[in-house]
Amino acid sequence: MPHLYHLLQSPVGSGSKVPVKMEVNPPKQEHLLALKVMRLTKPTLFTNIPVTCEEKDLPGDLFNQLMRDDPSTVNGAEILMLGEMLTLPQNFGNIFLGETFSSYISVHNDSNQVVKDILVKADLQTSSQRLNLSASNAAVAELKPDCCIDDVIHHEVKEIGTHILVCAVSYTTQGGEKMYFRKFFKFQVLKPLDVKTKFYNAESDLSSVTDEVFLEAQIQNITTSPMFMEKVSLEPSIMYNVAELNSVNQAGECVTTFGSRAYLQPMDTRQYLYCLKPKKEFAEKAGIIKGVTVIGKLDIVWKTNLGERGRLQTSQLQRMAPGYGDVRLSLEAIPDTVNLEEPFHITCKITNCSERTMDLVLEMCNTSSIHWCGISGRQLGKLHPSSSLCLALTLLSSVQGLQSVSGLRLTDTFLKRTYEYDDIAQVCVVSSAIKVES
C-alpha cells in the first residue's frame, strides 16, 4: 500500500493553506497525464527555543542581543517561546474524527498532444462505506499540452481508522485509444476526544426515587494541541427536558463555570453537568420511563490552533431507569413544619407500574410519634396499568422534633400481596405555642 509524505512548498501568507503532497508508487505504464494529490492544511506558529545567560557569564549580553535581532521572536518577549511567524508543517500531520479533510487534486498533461474526454473521479473508502467526493462527474472535452485540471475536495470525517483516497483518471488519446489509471492514498483517522458519561438518580424530599436524572459528561482532550471548546450541549430525547448546570449567575449575568477562556489543554479533562426531567405527558405514564431509556446525545464543537473547526456527536446515551416495583407511592404535597398534636394534611399519589389491574386496600399503621386520622383498611378500588390516583390523608404528631412519616400499607386483594411504605418523608413538629407560618 502506498505511503504518504510531506513536500514543502513556497511560503504562504497568514490564513493560507499549505499543500502537502502524498506520494504513491510510480505507475507501471507511461501515461500522457500526471496525477498529483496534496493534502491542504494550515501552517503553524513558529516557536523559538530561548538561550540566555547571566550578565556575569562569559557570553555576557550576546545571547540576549541575538534573540532581539532574531526576526522570529516577539519584540519585548524574546525569552518566551512565542513567535509571530508561520511555519510550514514538517509532516503529513494527524487527521482527527470530526474534522474536515481537504485535498487538492491536479491532473497535468505532460505530453505534446491534445488529450480528450478526461474524467477525474475521487472516492474515499472507509471500513464501512465508499463515498464519491468529486465535485463534478462530467468529463472535460479536451486538455492541451502543459494544461491541467484542478479540483479541491472536502470531507467531514465521521469514522475512525483507515481511510483510502482512490483517485481514478480516464482519457482518450489522439489516436482514439482509451486509457485509464488510478492511485491510492492511505491515511489514518484518530480519535480527538475521550468522552465518558455517568448517570445519577435524583433524591427528593417527597419521594426516595424520582424520574429526575443528572448526567455528568467527562471530556478529555487526547490530541497533542490545545482546543477551544466552542460548544458542549446535550440534545435530549423526546421524553426529557434538559437544563445545563455549567454556568452561574453573577451580578445578573450568566457566567460559565470554566472561565472566559474555555481552552482544554492536551490530556486535560473537563466535566459538564446536565439535569433531565421527563416531560409531563411522559412522567404521568408509569410504563414509559421504565427499564432502559434513551436520554439524548452530546453535541461537541471545538476549534484548534488556527481556527480549524471540529464537531462530534455521540451516539444516543442510554441509562437504566430506577425500578419502582409493581406499585409506586410518591408524595405530591406535605408541609415542612406542623404544630404538635394538631392535624395536618398530605397528598399521596399511587401509580400502578405493573401490567395487570390491581384491587387495592389502604391500611394505616400508627407509630410512636406519628398517628393517622381516618379509617384504615378502606377499599381504593381497581387501578388499571399505568394509572394513578391521588389520596388526601390526615395525620398528627405527638412528639416534637423531626419526625418520619411511616406506616402506609397497600394490599392487592387479587394476589394477596402487601406493599409497605415507611420513611416516606419527614416533617418538623414544633410546640403549638409557636405560630407556624403557612
Side-chain angles (χ1 to χ4, degrees):
M1 184 60 64
H3 61 280
L4 310 175
Y5 82 108
H6 170 70
L7 179 63
L8 293 180
Q9 304 290 332
S10 57
V12 296
S14 175
S16 301
K17 293 189 175 182
V18 180
V20 182
K21 184 176 180 181
M22 299 184 286
E23 186 191 45
V24 298
N25 295 329
K28 295 182 179 179
Q29 67 177 114
E30 293 294 332
H31 283 276
L32 304 179
L33 303 181
L35 171 67
K36 293 182 179 179
V37 177
M38 302 181 186
R39 181 192 174 191
L40 296 180
T41 184
K42 291 186 178 181
T44 57
L45 290 172
F46 176 78
T47 57
N48 65 314
I49 301 178
V51 179
T52 61
C53 66
E54 297 182 4
E55 294 183 358
K56 62 182 180 180
D57 291 337
L58 181 61
D61 193 47
L62 177 62
F63 290 155
N64 293 333
Q65 185 61 41
L66 290 175
M67 286 191 297
R68 284 192 290 268
D69 296 338
D70 190 344
S72 65
T73 59
V74 179
N75 187 20
E78 294 85 4
I79 62 174
L80 301 178
M81 293 182 63
L82 299 175
E84 296 179 318
M85 301 181 66
L86 296 176
T87 180
L88 296 172
Q90 301 301 308
N91 49 46
F92 177 76
N94 295 321
I95 302 177
F96 293 101
L97 183 68
E99 295 182 346
T100 299
F101 170 73
S102 300
S103 182
Y104 167 74
I105 300 176
S106 178
V107 176
H108 186 267
N109 188 353
D110 289 345
S111 67
N112 55 3
Q113 57 179 287
V114 177
V115 178
K116 299 180 179 180
D117 301 329
I118 304 98
L119 180 62
V120 182
K121 186 178 180 182
D123 293 338
L124 186 64
Q125 178 71 52
T126 69
S127 58
S128 63
Q129 58 182 336
R130 189 183 183 101
L131 304 170
N132 182 19
L133 304 183
S134 301
S136 174
N137 293 323
V140 178
E142 65 176 22
L143 186 64
K144 297 180 181 180
D146 292 330
C147 293
C148 61
I149 300 172
D150 299 327
D151 190 14
V152 176
I153 59 174
H154 304 280
H155 174 66
E156 184 179 348
V157 183
K158 298 181 179 180
E159 296 183 39
I160 60 174
T162 303
H163 287 58
I164 302 176
L165 181 63
V166 183
C167 298
V169 180
S170 61
Y171 61 95
T172 304
T173 64
Q174 283 185 340
E177 183 182 2
K178 294 186 178 296
M179 304 293 288
Y180 173 83
F181 69 93
R182 61 179 181 174
K183 294 182 179 180
F184 301 85
F185 306 93
K186 180 180 177 182
F187 59 92
Q188 296 289 332
V189 175
L190 308 176
K191 187 171 71 168
L193 299 171
D194 186 21
V195 181
K196 297 179 180 178
T197 57
K198 295 181 180 179
F199 291 103
Y200 303 93
N201 296 321
E203 294 184 358
S204 173
D205 293 335
L206 299 181
S207 176
S208 59
V209 180
T210 68
D211 292 326
E212 191 176 273
V213 61
F214 290 89
L215 169 65
E216 176 191 346
Q218 298 180 359
I219 300 177
Q220 183 182 25
N221 177 9
I222 57 176
T223 69
T224 57
S225 60
M227 287 183 176
F228 173 75
M229 306 305 292
E230 185 175 293
K231 183 183 75 170
V232 179
S233 62
L234 177 64
E235 298 180 1
S237 64
I238 60 173
M239 295 190 297
Y240 289 91
N241 291 319
V242 64
E244 294 193 11
L245 305 178
N246 304 307
S247 59
V248 293
N249 193 334
Q250 292 184 354
E253 294 185 1
C254 190
V255 181
T256 175
T257 56
F258 306 113
S260 58
R261 298 291 183 266
Y263 289 101
L264 193 59
Q265 297 296 331
M267 303 312 295
D268 279 1
T269 301
R270 183 170 293 165
Q271 295 166 304
Y272 295 83
L273 186 62
Y274 305 90
C275 177
L276 297 109
K277 297 181 180 179
K279 297 179 180 178
K280 185 177 180 181
E281 58 268 28
F282 296 102
E284 293 178 348
K285 299 178 182 179
I288 295 181
I289 304 180
K290 188 176 182 181
V292 179
T293 58
V294 176
I295 297 296
K297 56 185 177 181
L298 288 169
D299 187 14
I300 307 171
V301 180
W302 71 90
K303 289 183 179 179
T304 52
N305 293 330
L306 290 178
E308 300 95 331
R309 193 169 183 265
R311 180 182 181 184
L312 281 181
Q313 277 192 337
T314 64
S315 56
Q316 290 288 349
L317 304 176
Q318 296 181 338
R319 66 126 187 182
M320 179 65 70
Y324 307 122
D326 292 339
V327 182
R328 181 185 181 187
L329 175 69
S330 60
L331 289 183
E332 299 296 304
I334 185 172
D336 294 331
T337 306
V338 298
N339 281 334
L340 179 67
E341 297 180 348
E342 290 186 9
F344 63 93
H345 305 282
I346 67 172
T347 302
C348 295
K349 183 179 180 180
I350 300 172
T351 305
N352 183 357
C353 298
S354 68
E355 299 178 354
R356 55 185 173 80
T357 301
M358 293 185 174
D359 190 5
L360 298 176
V361 175
L362 175 64
E363 297 180 359
M364 300 176 290
C365 303
N366 293 331
T367 62
S368 59
S369 59
I370 293 292
H371 307 274
W372 296 90
C373 302
I375 300 174
S376 179
R378 60 171 167 153
Q379 297 281 343
L380 299 180
K382 294 183 179 180
L383 189 62
H384 297 285
S386 301
S387 298
S388 302
L389 61 89
C390 290
L391 297 174
L393 303 175
T394 305
L395 307 88
L396 65 83
S397 176
S398 59
V399 180
Q400 295 187 60
L402 191 63
Q403 304 300 327
S404 178
V405 177
S406 302
L408 277 181
R409 304 291 183 262
L410 290 173
T411 302
D412 181 11
T413 59
F414 287 157
L415 297 182
K416 305 298 182 182
R417 183 179 298 173
T418 300
Y419 305 92
E420 300 180 355
Y421 299 95
D422 294 317
D423 296 324
I424 303 170
Q426 292 179 328
V427 293
C428 182
V429 182
V430 298
S431 174
S432 57
I434 302 175
K435 183 178 179 181
V436 179
E437 295 182 0
S438 57

